[in-house]
Amino acid sequence: MTSATGQTAGHARQSEARVALVGSPNSGKTTLFNALTGLRAKTGNYPGVTVSRYEGAAEVAGRRVVIEDLPGSYSLDPISPDERVLTDVLDPLNAGVQSPDALLVTLDATTMPRSLGLLAQVMQTDFPVCVVLTFTDELTRRQGALDVAALSRAVGVPVLAVTGGRRSDLVALRELLSRPQEWARPVVPPPHAPMEVAAWITSVLSSARYELPEGDARTRRVDAVLLHPVWGTLVFFVTMFAFFQVIFTAAAPLQDAIGSLFAWLGGLANSRISNGLLSSFVSEALLGGVGGVLVFLPQIVLLFLMINLLEGVGYMARAAFLMDRVMSKAGLEGRAFVALLSSVACAVPGIMATRTLPSARDRIATMMGAPLMTCSARLPVYVLLIGLVVPSGAGWGPISAQGATMFGLYLVGALSAMVAAWVFSRLGRSSGPLLPFSMEIPPYRIPSARSVALSTLDAARTFLRKVGKIILVTTIVLWLLLNLPARSTADLQAAGVNPANHTAVSAYVIDHSFGAAVGHAVEPVFQPLGFDWRINIGVLASLSAREVFVATLGQVAAAETPDTPTIALRTMRVEEGPRAGELLFTPPVVAALLLFFLYALQCMSTIAVMRRESGTWRWPAIAFGYMFVLAWVMGLAARLVVGAVT
Amino acid sequence: MAGDLAVVPVHPESLPDDPRTLRWVIPAGTLGFVGMPVEVPAPLRQLLDDATLAGLTVEPAAVRLTLAAGLEWREQGVRVRDALQAALAVPEQWQAPDLADATDAMAAMAAPGDDVLRAAVHQVLDGEVGDYIRSHGGQVILLSAHESEVEVQLSGACRHCPASDVTLTERLEGGVRALYPGLLRLTARDEPGPGAGRRMLRLIPTRGR
């Protein structure tokens, strides 16, 4: 025993111990992690939420303990890259990763027979182990039973029940965490061979008086409908439809309020700041541009609130299950859909979630499709563009036409993502059989208000951080491009512009800026789609992040019509060429823009994560290329079709 | 389970005061006797012969194995477990201790299994259930354990406690049945006193099995 202790303690620093969390997917690992560290890793009632490694520090008895949240796994025999992370960390011979000093194993009390299999494997590793039983409240609610003390005696390691990260349950755990080297160790580790492990599990559970919980009656009744091939699918689409209705109806008033606030501030900046350049920077770049993106905060918050609710309740796992039937018919991995579904929030976690895919080919195929799922960055662009052509009052009864349009865009995005993933998996397929996909369907749980609120706040914070960093920087660069070269009074007079008329001056400066030159330069590419130089510069700028498109248009609008920037886009007219004088944002052009944004890969973060996950620039380049061509063709098609019907 | 290839479910539990001895929990009723067996199947016999094991006692639902001095469970555990599981797969090759020379009068007229039942009741009374009863100021004495029926006597605070019915049947009987699945009934009578009659405890069927 001494040798084992020496091995694991040898490389530990005296000051801080390192404890890793191990557990099956959806066993409450991340909830425990958050409760111990006060950090907010994202949790969901949805297997596979933790795909990368998280670390946080917990203060226990005056000592700092580093807690590491590892990806969930049902066993230590890895079949996918994320499970490999777990085995690497637990392998003391693997010098590439830092080994923990002890392991906390979370076991879902409602699924003990299966969970103990993982525990048996973990206990082979020679690390000090402590078991944290989760969902014991659910076990008793569903008429199950378990004697915690007897279980601890039977497995030979400390066992504690912690329900939903409740603070009162954590006191004892913190106490234990302060001295992992003193934890009871099993004198004889559990066996290896499957038959013997099964016998060990039976023996341990019978000793612990374990009574399997009855199937959750509520869950069963609800699932009879929700997992039904016809009703379930119908409910799924109705849910999603209602989802987008709410985004428009509930968030619109808030959005208007924030919009008016920024318009008012812009007016204030114009009248109070005497320095012309500074005033233009504040009112156009900051308030018109960055403020134009901030206006969409209510929608972003609402989107994440609803995603978190659906996930916490356990609905997302069912949606994945339903869609898996469809996808497996097409020969696609069920795990692929889980990754695609994660991309509704953002393609970056979606692409990282492809680590759960065992086959490298399917991973790449899913990565190629994931950016087509409508991510939250497209939301401001869609809301803005839809608002330009679909009146907010229009609709059928309680159904708003704006919400219906948005639903359609999400639907097309999702379908395109699946088709793209399918095509790419076909291209590389040698005809390997599909690996069986098993996904846990968790019982319905009422998500804790705290965890939903925290992850929603987190999403809002991420959005604000993005606005404060990449969007702000791009907007400032654009502002410079749009306001340089600076024009002297003589220049203006030579061009026949009255230097006293601010609006005319800024319109002139912008129209003859470096930015305009760039916008004009790419005109041949985008002319078939009906984009003018102002849209072009917005589209180019949005390559950094999609929201920048909104910021750019806001900036241009604020410069050209400072009095009414909110309705400026609607009245903006084409300045030159065959369509000169016509409204710029006609339904065909907006349709082309929407489809362009639906398909184009305009996100540096996605490209970077694709490069990292695929290990080569080849795949991001292919993705960018094919999506650009697709976006252009679809945009053109949309313009022609909408032009023909309107 | 006869003819079944399944491995007999066992797991070891350590004893706080005796690091050389492990209680290997086995399914109740596997062996049908308690005490030190006269003979054990070959795999275990070998470990006793080569002085790996220094002691072996059978309990109602466990086998206590004591390692010879100087040996570590960490090194010997897997070998011992394999031997024990092999031996438990052939329960008919275990030879129960000879009861003929027992001095106890009751043992002489005992039915097969009585000793297991008695040991089971004692184990329960010595364990958590007994602790619970004692913590409430009660006392339980085993009067008889014969032909799968148990009779106990309640005294102390149990005597007039209206909860003793439920407490005792559920706790005591559940505990004994876990160690001796063939238990037919458990009756309790109050401490003899004026007018104290015999009282039959309701048998609440335990859930499951």
Side-chain angles (χ1 to χ4, degrees), chain A residues 528-531 588-589 591-597 599 629-641:
Chain A
L529 279 65
F531 299 175
V589 171
L593 262 176
L594 284 174
L595 269 280
F596 186 85
F597 271 89
Y599 286 106
V629 171
L630 196 60
W632 192 89
V633 171
M634 288 300 192
L636 182 64
R639 186 183 176 208
L640 295 178
V641 169

Side-chain angles (χ1 to χ4, degrees), chain B residues 96-129:
Chain B
D98 200 355
L99 293 176
D101 55 342
T103 49
D104 191 86
M106 266 175 57
M109 48 186 281
D114 281 4
D115 51 345
V116 180
L117 183 54
R118 194 175 320 114
V121 176
H122 279 305
Q123 196 175 315
V124 171
L125 291 180
D126 290 345
E128 281 164 21
V129 178

Side-chain angles (χ1 to χ4, degrees), chain A residues 325-332 422 425-426 429:
Chain A
R325 289 188 197 166
V326 181
M327 299 214 6
S328 61
K329 285 211 179 81
L332 261 185
W422 179 77
S425 79
R426 282 291 127 148
R429 191 177 291 283

